[in-house]
Amino acid sequence: MTPTPGPVGAVRQGSLRELNLAVVLGRIAAADRPPSRAVLATETGLTRATVSAVVEDLITGRLVTEAEPAPRSGAGRPARGLVLAGNGPAGLGLEINVDYLAVCVVDLAGRVRHHTVHRADLRPVSPADALSRLVELAGQARAEAASQGLTLAGAALGVPGLVDDAGTVRLAPNLGWRDVPVPALLAGLPPLTERVDGVPPIVVDNEANLSALGELHAGSDGPASFLHISGEVGIGAGIVLDGDLFRGARGWSGEIGHIPVHSAGRPCRCGGRGCLEQYAGQEAILAAAGLDRADLPADTAPVRLTELAETGSVDALRALHEAGTALGIAVASVVNLLDLDTVVLGGGYAPLTPWLRPPVLDEISRRVLTAAWSPVTVRPAALGADAAAVGAAGSVVRRIIARPAGWLARTG
Amino acid sequence: MTPTPGPVGAVRQGSLRELNLAVVLGRIAAADRPPSRAVLATETGLTRATVSAVVEDLITGRLVTEAEPAPRSGAGRPARGLVLAGNGPAGLGLEINVDYLAVCVVDLAGRVRHHTVHRADLRPVSPADALSRLVELAGQARAEAASQGLTLAGAALGVPGLVDDAGTVRLAPNLGWRDVPVPALLAGLPPLTERVDGVPPIVVDNEANLSALGELHAGSDGPASFLHISGEVGIGAGIVLDGDLFRGARGWSGEIGHIPVHSAGRPCRCGGRGCLEQYAGQEAILAAAGLDRADLPADTAPVRLTELAETGSVDALRALHEAGTALGIAVASVVNLLDLDTVVLGGGYAPLTPWLRPPVLDEISRRVLTAAWSPVTVRPAALGADAAAVGAAGSVVRRIIARPAGWLARTG
């Protein structure tokens, strides 16, 4: 239960109102079923009058709405439940990956209201041009959101690389980016969203981290600790421990793609040797299946791989088995180290789970010391290729819920 | 600052006293310099009278003592600082490893007051006999503690394997133990310590976890997040994140010894292949240096290895370089995954740090994606081979500090 606010005398009036808005909105967001004003008063320890005033502000500000239509008349009106509004602020989620751009809009309640995945090889494209294309897609998303009554209140962008606190992409080896100051480049382009106090116009983060967050919030009954692996051209992981993303000392955790699976093996773009990416990255799998030389556009190759596996192509099945074995060796290291019992195959891996899972489980049972007592679950992600964008948009929404006063100040 | 206790009306008198004892003792334990009663009253929000009564109980119970002798007379007596007692309860720390037994006694302030390391190959010894030998050493420690005015209030035992919640060693591959019910076996032997309410007579834990805890509490100014590697016959790791040991879903994290460094390499006792232990475990290093066949007792071989390295023996230096390279490959995986910036070489690795560190750093700089921006520190542990026993004893002491009422109830 949310604790009651501290002593009134010690808090400025403005801060007290902000606190009450956040406490009440937080309860509505976390509730299993729409709470009435009376229930909110009991749960927060605020007076009925305060709760009513706060709820009125939240409704006027399009953050909350009443779940059922109020009956026109009659004795003992039923209490109306309150839910997060579907026509208020929304988060804009963006992703730039090696072979696609993704854009999505998520409303306060976490529903995906719009999404687009645009397939294109972005390696030959400059960072400025890639961002420019993304802003164009975002403009379409913004118009689409407006037509649904939603206002974009902030944006987050996932990239397949290492991002510093200022939003600069220090290194994205598979994109060929190094020291790209994303916020500065975006500043010269049309704005993506409204300006809302307390919500940064753009947050840049690692796509594997955002995908793991998306997966965490997509499955309400899932385990609170899991390893989420994003299998694209590069391979990244998000480590969720007790319901929180574990970021590491500098936010650069989860670089599972550079765990050596054959330490004297193939050279990697990172400078190392035998990295997982060289055996289980999307291009490695396609090459092993003979699809890199096939006469078909690069962006349809993953779909073709799945089709070939479904029809029992020996080359495709062998390629997937080899990739799954390499993946299993790396996953075994992670499980030995972190004692996680759930591994989620996300991004491009999700549709390949039927073929990747058996060799991954084989390596786990062979190499994990504790496998005999505690089985590890390997399952596909609930979200698809847009997990990072959905996770990014969700992070914006959670920021608004945590501090609604910033949004309300904007709308008056 | 410690929060003040909750409303008096809501807490039973007994519980309130327990809470006040714990709050005051916790402040004394955490203080940089000995606090006076007046300072404690300010910091805890308790009245001066309550603090004085609580301190009196703590002094009578041998948990706290006054730092300086009180002046006999004179105007404006100086306030006397309070410190943890050096003649009260103490923790008994135990370790059974492949080639030694260790026993130590740590007082409330964390000082090691007694320790013994008994070298012997324990693989041919049954679990019951190993425990019996340990209990004999513990009896000597208990007598030694008594002669220093200390009372053993609980014990913790580190073992190189997987331990379940009941204290059963499910698997210790290098000892050859499987499903050994340690508490039941100890129940048939003389008691190790006094019985204290709230302190389990014996806690069994993984030795690498306890070593990491020992290291965490040994260095007050060390980083709050680090990887501590215990290099013995087996290799275990303790992962400390933000000042807490990360245990994983079932408490079985840190099995770095079974990270594959050459995935198709040498078979390992665990059933896997190419595990780190096969290249950087103590026996692997000694064998590579030609010391396994040398005409000297097994327990002096590690010392001989250090001597040979110091005198520039080519075989010893090559063996250490190869072990360090394997260790570096595994450490690179951990750093890629967890983004830790400090690696502590503990146990048998500590004295070998001068030779292991260069190849470890080489592999990190070659394989860790972020190495260019953020250097990783590799340093020897502050504690030696008795780190697990010290960490074990410290865990007992911290339990008493967290709940002093149990100890006081015993002494009346």
Side-chain angles (χ1 to χ4, degrees), chain A residues 107-191:
Chain A
D107 71 16
L108 271 192
R111 288 177 295 248
V112 177
R113 300 289 289 269
H114 168 80
H115 80 125
T116 318
V117 175
H118 175 72
R119 296 235 158 238
D121 186 349
L122 288 149
R123 282 169 290 198
V125 179
S126 74
D129 284 350
L131 287 168
S132 172
R133 287 195 203 176
L134 192 68
V135 167
E136 199 175 310
L137 292 173
Q140 295 165 17
R142 189 177 187 174
E144 172 64 27
S147 77
Q148 296 185 46
L150 291 164
T151 306
L152 299 185
L157 165 64
V159 294
L162 307 170
V163 184
D164 71 14
D165 290 342
T168 295
V169 179
R170 303 299 292 269
L171 179 68
N174 291 308
L175 268 175
W177 288 20
R178 183 178 277 271
D179 295 325
V180 175
V182 172
L185 290 172
L186 284 176
L189 297 169

Side-chain angles (χ1 to χ4, degrees), chain A residues 162 170-171 248-255 258 260-263 270 273 333 336-339 367 369-370 373-374, chain B residues 162 170-171 248-255 258 260-263 273 333 336-339 367 369-370 373-374:
Chain A
L162 307 170
R170 303 299 292 269
L171 179 68
R250 293 144 303 209
W252 295 346
S253 70
E255 291 296 339
H258 300 283
V261 295
H262 300 295
S263 51
C270 76
R273 276 194 168 274
S333 287
N336 267 320
L337 200 66
L338 297 181
D339 183 25
R367 298 179 185 276
L369 209 57
T370 60
W373 298 278
S374 50
Chain B
L162 307 169
R170 302 301 292 268
L171 179 67
R250 293 143 303 208
W252 295 345
S253 68
E255 291 296 339
H258 300 283
V261 293
H262 301 294
S263 52
R273 275 193 169 274
S333 288
N336 267 319
L337 200 67
L338 297 181
D339 183 26
R367 298 179 184 277
L369 209 57
T370 60
W373 297 279
S374 50

Side-chain angles (χ1 to χ4, degrees), chain B residues 156-234:
Chain B
L157 165 65
V159 294
L162 307 169
V163 183
D164 70 15
D165 290 341
T168 295
V169 179
R170 302 301 292 268
L171 179 67
N174 291 308
L175 269 176
W177 288 20
R178 185 177 276 271
D179 295 324
V180 175
V182 172
L185 290 172
L186 284 176
L189 297 169
L192 297 166
T193 69
E194 305 297 308
R195 289 287 291 142
V196 174
D197 190 34
V199 182
I202 182 78
V203 170
V204 188
D205 200 348
N206 178 274
E207 61 91 9
N209 282 347
L210 292 171
S211 295
L213 281 178
E215 188 69 19
L216 174 66
H217 294 287
S220 57
D221 56 345
S225 300
F226 59 86
L227 177 73
H228 179 278
I229 308 178
S230 298
E232 308 293 349
V233 172

